[in-house]
């Protein structure tokens, strides 16, 4: 079991054996191009030449065009709930080789070895298992996309986009519906369709939002109203979510623990790698305030860490000033990175 990003629960992670990983990788290389031809344009997760940044850009574009009535959807245990029989029907529409179909069935029903809290070994899954595709398997994201595509394709074929004046943006099991005035109707329709697919929306985490008045989180970004500090004017945009910022800060804190004796150049390079990767993903929309907040936090942690290491009296603000830490010590400063993307229109 691994913790979910929200820290409130855990999800099972099934790691295949090396032999299975090799076979799954080979099968995925053959199967993926076949199913890519069928996947809807609204799906961005685990696909070649697509990714979370593309989904974020599209959500940003749509809310700026007036699609501000939002269904912030959350599927309950999607990877664990996919019904095998229905999934295999979707696979069999494109794949007729019985050997390949049997191989996929074996992956879905592979037994899983687990350890309980007392370290006792137990076996789950197996032939009696009729639902779920193990997270951690090479082929699992592709299989999850194949089943989610049934919902996305049904949305298109039934002209729900026109009926609800809405667009769906999906990243694997994480999706939002952006509408112009028909979010409640879109949510009711989605619940009914998901039920027919054997899936369930999480009632607690699924909600309706007016992006002109309140924010919603999707793929690490927070979308909705933002305010110019200079004149107080409101505008619609996207910025790093509080959870995303918190996770980065926790990674920095774990690295800069008092017991870490790694040389500073190694620590600096790891910190800069964290920061640069984070800033590359969160380069869209409004991010200066978030970047400044991260810079303040990282500087204070680095200063305190180095002051302890070098036994400097006080807080170390003179010996490890901003100029020293960001200058001769070479720490990356996010707020000095170039800003290339403009925020969105005012509301």
């Amino acid at each position: 079991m691994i913790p979910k990003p929200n820290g409130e629960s855990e999800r099972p992670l099934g790691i295949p054996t090396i032999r299975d990983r090799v076979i799954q990788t080979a099968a995925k290389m053959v199967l993926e191009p076949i199913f890519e031809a069928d996947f809807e344009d609204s799906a961005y997760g685990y696909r070649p030449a697509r990714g979370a940044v593309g989904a974020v850009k599209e959500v940003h574009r749509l809310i700026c065009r007036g699609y501000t009535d939002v269904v912030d959807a959350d599927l309950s245990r999607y990877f664990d709930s996919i019904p095998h029989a229905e999934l295999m029907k979707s696979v069999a529409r494109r794949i007729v080789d019985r050997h390949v179909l049997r191989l996929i069935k074996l992956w879905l029903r592979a037994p899983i070895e687990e350890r309980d809290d007392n370290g006792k070994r137990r076996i789950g899954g197996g032939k009696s298992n009729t639902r779920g595709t193990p997270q951690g398997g090479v082929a699992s994201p592709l299989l999850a996309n194949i089943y989610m595509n049934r919902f996305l394709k049904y949305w298109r074929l039934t002209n729900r986009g026109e009926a609800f004046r809405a667009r769906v943006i999906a990243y694997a099991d994480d999706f939002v519906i952006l509408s112009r005035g028909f979010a409640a109707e879109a949510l009711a329709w989605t619940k009914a369709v998901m039920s027919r697919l054997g899936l369930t929306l999480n009632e607690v985490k699924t909600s309706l939002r007016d992006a002109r008045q309140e924010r919603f989180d999707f793929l690490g970004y927070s979308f909705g109203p933002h305010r110019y500090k200079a004149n107080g004017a409101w505008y619609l945009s996207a910025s790093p979510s509080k959870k995303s910022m918190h996770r980065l800060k926790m990674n920095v804190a774990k690295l800069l623990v008092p017991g870490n004796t790694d040389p500073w150049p190694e620590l600096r390079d790891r910190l800069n790698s964290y920061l640069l990767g984070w800033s590359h993903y969160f380069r869209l929309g409004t991010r200066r305030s978030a970047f400044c907040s991260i810079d303040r936090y990282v500087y204070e942690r680095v200063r305190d860490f180095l002051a302890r290491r070098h036994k400097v009296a006080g807080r170390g603000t003179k010996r490890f000033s901003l100029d020293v830490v960001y200058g001769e010590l070479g720490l990356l400063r996010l707020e000095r990175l170039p800003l290339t993307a403009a925020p969105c229109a005012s509301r």
Side-chain angles (χ1 to χ4, degrees):
M1 304 292 285
I2 59 172
K4 289 186 175 182
N6 59 20
E8 300 172 357
S9 58
E10 294 181 324
R11 61 160 60 102
L13 182 66
I15 306 297
T17 63
I18 293 177
R19 183 174 64 178
D20 280 345
R21 288 184 67 85
V22 171
I23 297 173
Q24 286 189 25
T25 301
K28 179 175 177 289
M29 292 174 64
V30 174
L31 298 177
E32 189 171 62
I34 297 173
F35 286 100
E36 267 295 316
D38 276 346
F39 287 160
E40 296 294 311
D41 290 340
S42 54
Y44 289 84
Y46 308 115
R47 297 181 61 187
R50 285 182 163 241
V53 171
V56 169
K57 285 182 178 179
E58 185 63 9
V59 172
H60 190 205
R61 185 183 72 86
L62 289 170
I63 65 169
C64 290
R65 292 182 59 190
Y67 292 85
T68 53
D69 297 294
V70 180
V71 179
D72 185 5
D74 184 89
L75 284 170
S76 295
R77 302 176 65 87
Y78 173 67
F79 281 82
D80 302 325
S81 304
I82 299 174
H84 292 174
E86 294 302 312
L87 172 60
M88 291 308 301
K89 287 180 183 178
S90 297
V91 174
R93 290 191 180 100
R94 276 288 192 171
I95 305 299
V96 297
D97 190 309
R98 60 186 178 88
H99 299 292
V100 175
L101 294 175
R102 180 176 178 275
L103 193 60
I104 294 174
K105 286 182 182 179
L106 290 175
W107 290 336
L108 293 174
R109 296 183 179 180
I112 300 173
E113 180 180 328
E114 300 176 286
R115 301 277 178 174
D116 59 21
D117 295 336
N118 299 321
K120 187 177 180 181
R121 178 174 173 267
R122 64 182 181 187
I123 301 296
K127 294 182 179 180
S128 61
N129 186 31
T130 61
R131 286 181 174 269
T133 175
Q135 295 191 65
V138 177
S140 293
L142 174 60
L143 296 175
N145 276 346
I146 290 171
Y147 199 65
M148 187 65 180
N149 197 59
R150 293 180 66 164
F151 167 75
L152 299 175
K153 181 165 287 189
Y154 190 56
W155 170 280
R156 176 175 58 82
L157 293 177
T158 56
N159 294 316
R160 292 302 94 187
E162 296 180 10
F164 300 140
R165 301 180 68 194
R167 302 289 186 270
V168 180
I169 305 297
Y171 188 92
D173 60 324
D174 198 1
F175 69 98
V176 291
I177 300 173
L178 308 173
S179 173
R180 287 178 169 175
F182 296 91
E185 293 83 350
L187 175 57
W189 183 88
T190 299
K191 284 182 180 179
V193 174
M194 288 300 180
S195 179
R196 289 166 57 187
L197 292 174
L199 304 172
T200 306
L201 285 176
N202 187 319
E203 297 287 347
V204 175
K205 296 182 179 180
T206 298
S207 60
L208 298 176
R209 302 292 181 93
D210 181 353
R212 294 166 296 183
Q213 305 294 332
E214 57 184 332
R215 296 190 187 186
F216 66 95
D217 290 354
F218 182 61
L219 298 179
Y221 275 83
S222 181
F223 297 88
H226 291 66
R227 186 194 291 267
Y228 281 113
K229 289 185 178 180
N231 57 16
W234 289 95
Y235 64 100
L236 292 175
S237 190
S239 59
S241 70
K242 291 181 179 179
K243 288 183 179 179
S244 298
M245 294 174 63
H246 178 73
R247 282 196 293 271
L248 177 64
K249 290 177 180 179
M250 290 304 98
N251 285 334
V252 172
K254 289 177 183 177
L255 180 62
L256 298 176
V257 292
N260 192 333
T261 59
D262 293 342
W264 168 248
E266 292 183 13
L267 290 174
R268 177 201 60 210
D269 290 346
R270 291 175 65 185
L271 277 172
N272 286 349
S273 178
Y274 285 162
L275 295 170
L276 191 60
W278 194 85
S279 67
H280 279 175
Y281 180 71
F282 290 104
R283 67 185 183 273
L284 304 174
T286 304
R287 67 270 196 197
R288 182 177 289 280
S289 177
F291 281 16
C292 289
S293 174
I294 294 296
D295 280 341
R296 285 193 300 270
Y297 178 84
V298 174
Y299 166 70
E300 290 173 1
R301 296 293 304 203
V302 167
R303 184 197 64 207
D304 293 346
F305 174 82
L306 292 175
R308 282 194 306 268
R309 171 174 282 191
H310 295 279
K311 298 180 174 57
V312 176
R315 300 176 62 191
T317 52
K318 290 186 177 180
R319 181 169 175 182
F320 299 109
S321 65
L322 286 168
D323 290 338
V324 171
V325 171
Y326 288 115
E328 62 185 83
L329 294 183
L331 185 66
L332 181 69
R333 194 169 187 174
L334 297 185
E335 62 179 301
R336 296 292 173 85
L337 295 176
L339 299 179
T340 55
C344 197
S346 60
R347 60 173 179 158

